[in-house]
Amino acid sequence: MSLKLNTDLLIILIAFPILWFAPAGLKSYGLYVVSLWLVMSIAAMGLNLTLGYAGLTSLAQGAFLGIGAYATAILTVKAGWPLPAAFLVSTGLSFLVGVVLGFPALRVKHHYLAFVTLAFSVVVFLIARNEQWLTGGVFGLANIPRPTLFGTDLGGGLAFYRVVLVVTLALTLVMWWLLHSPWGRAFQAIRENGTRAASLGVDIRAYTLLAFAIGSAFGGAAGALYAPLVEFIDPSPFALSASFVLLLTVVAGGAGSFFGPFVGAFFSYMLPELLRATGGWYLIIYAAVVLVLVMVSPTGLLGLIDRWRDHQSQRKAAAIRAAARPTLANGAETNPKEQGAAS
């Protein structure tokens, strides 16, 4: 367990400087795509906590992405708040809404819970589209500002990418701490067997609400970064399809895997951009890749690594058993001779 903890932290610490310098040569669109990958990885981390660790099926993560984005846009554009303050308020608002949405999770499970969260996503989308006095309706909100630090403009592509990277690192460390705390173990216990977890003293009601709330807060935090990234928002990016894509992200990366959200976000958001080089075929190729992944590895891309490790362990165990058979056979042959000599 401690080795795995150290390995996860080592990967994080190695990846951060690489990601800090690697995109320096990219143009504006490349920086946008890499920044979008980080933003959606944050949203996927929240859904991975809710679905992969707590076992609660949610189709509302796209809605929380929208709540965070619209709250940030309204506070910065209409109220003139600085982005850091708007980020904290948007994340806190998403946390509170997640607590409220978590109450149905106390009564319904699995696909019934998915229907409840699906309805919530539709309601959020309709509010964003129809309440023009607040959200701008279909015309959206424009000129969303990017941050400044001590008078230094961080609105450039590379500078803002690094802002997103620092926030992603902070939230990744928070998620790492959470998953290896008693809270994280309680979430996994609820996922495996709620009745058994309750018999061991786990407060099912409190931890279910907490899982929803924290996962929603990560979605809101991602939305708070998404708004200044694109600098214009309208309801379309937060339709129900956004929640399905985030669900695909978690499943493709490996639900319940710590680095699954990052791998899944690359699969869902960066791979289609790379496939654009194939012209009009890119969506067909991408759909085929998704189908093959689901058939070959239902546990996601990181599940392939786990399957390979299991296969290697089985081969090693089989080799040890095969090597032990001649020794056991020789021992069985010598025993009767020794008994005869003794008699």
Side-chain angles (χ1 to χ4, degrees):
M1 183 69 174
S2 61
L3 178 61
K4 182 170 179 55
L5 299 186
N6 294 334
T7 302
D8 290 344
L9 281 178
L10 183 62
I11 292 174
I12 295 171
L13 295 177
I14 291 175
F16 179 75
I18 294 175
L19 293 174
W20 181 272
F21 293 106
L26 295 178
K27 296 182 179 180
S28 59
Y29 186 71
L31 290 169
Y32 163 76
V33 173
V34 178
S35 300
L36 181 65
W37 166 61
L38 292 175
V39 168
M40 294 307 172
S41 296
I42 295 173
M45 275 196 287
L47 183 58
N48 190 41
L49 174 67
T50 305
L51 174 65
Y53 287 96
L56 304 170
T57 306
S58 173
L59 292 175
Q61 198 69 357
F64 287 108
L65 185 73
I67 290 173
Y70 269 103
T72 299
I74 292 169
L75 291 174
T76 55
V77 174
K78 294 188 175 184
W81 285 32
L83 182 59
F87 176 87
L88 294 176
V89 171
S90 301
T91 304
L93 176 63
S94 299
F95 180 90
L96 294 176
V97 176
V99 171
V100 176
L101 183 62
F103 279 100
L106 302 174
R107 295 182 174 273
V108 294
K109 299 292 182 182
H110 307 302
H111 54 284
Y112 298 106
L113 179 58
F115 291 148
V116 172
T117 55
L118 184 149
F120 174 78
S121 295
V122 173
V123 169
V124 171
F125 173 75
L126 291 177
I127 291 174
R129 189 185 66 180
N130 296 332
E131 301 302 319
Q132 187 172 346
W133 64 274
L134 180 64
T135 65
V138 295
F139 300 103
L141 295 172
N143 301 319
I144 301 171
R146 290 185 175 182
T148 58
L149 180 64
F150 303 118
T152 303
D153 182 20
L154 300 178
L158 182 59
F160 186 72
Y161 159 78
R162 286 173 173 168
V163 170
V164 174
L165 179 61
V166 170
V167 175
T168 304
L169 173 65
L171 292 177
T172 302
L173 292 175
V174 169
M175 182 61 72
W176 176 87
W177 170 82
L178 176 67
L179 293 176
H180 297 99
S181 69
W183 290 359
R185 290 189 286 272
F187 294 149
Q188 295 178 58
I190 294 172
R191 178 193 64 188
E192 297 299 329
N193 192 317
T195 303
R196 185 181 301 168
S199 68
L200 295 174
V202 176
D203 190 337
I204 302 296
R205 181 184 183 90
Y207 281 104
T208 299
L209 292 176
L210 191 62
F212 249 104
I214 296 176
S216 303
F218 271 72
L225 293 173
Y226 178 81
L229 173 64
V230 297
E231 300 180 284
F232 168 82
I233 58 170
D234 68 324
S236 57
F238 314 113
L240 185 59
S241 58
S243 294
F244 284 114
V245 174
L246 285 169
L247 180 62
L248 171 64
T249 299
V250 172
V251 173
S257 172
F258 182 74
F259 292 108
F262 295 94
V263 177
F266 180 90
F267 182 85
S268 297
Y269 295 96
M270 293 188 71
L271 181 60
E273 298 299 325
L274 297 175
L275 292 176
R276 285 183 184 273
T278 62
W281 290 91
Y282 82 99
L283 285 178
I284 296 175
I285 296 173
Y286 180 68
V289 171
V290 172
L291 290 175
V292 171
L293 174 64
V294 171
M295 290 186 293
V296 173
S297 180
T299 55
L301 291 168
L302 293 183
L304 291 173
I305 299 176
D306 293 336
R307 288 173 60 182
W308 178 80
R309 288 175 177 171
D310 292 341
H311 179 67
Q312 292 297 110
S313 299
Q314 291 173 5
R315 288 184 59 183
K316 187 179 294 185
I320 293 173
R321 288 194 297 270
R325 286 194 190 102
T327 305
L328 294 174
N330 292 334
E333 292 176 358
T334 56
N335 284 339
K337 294 180 180 179
E338 292 177 355
Q339 292 175 0
S343 62

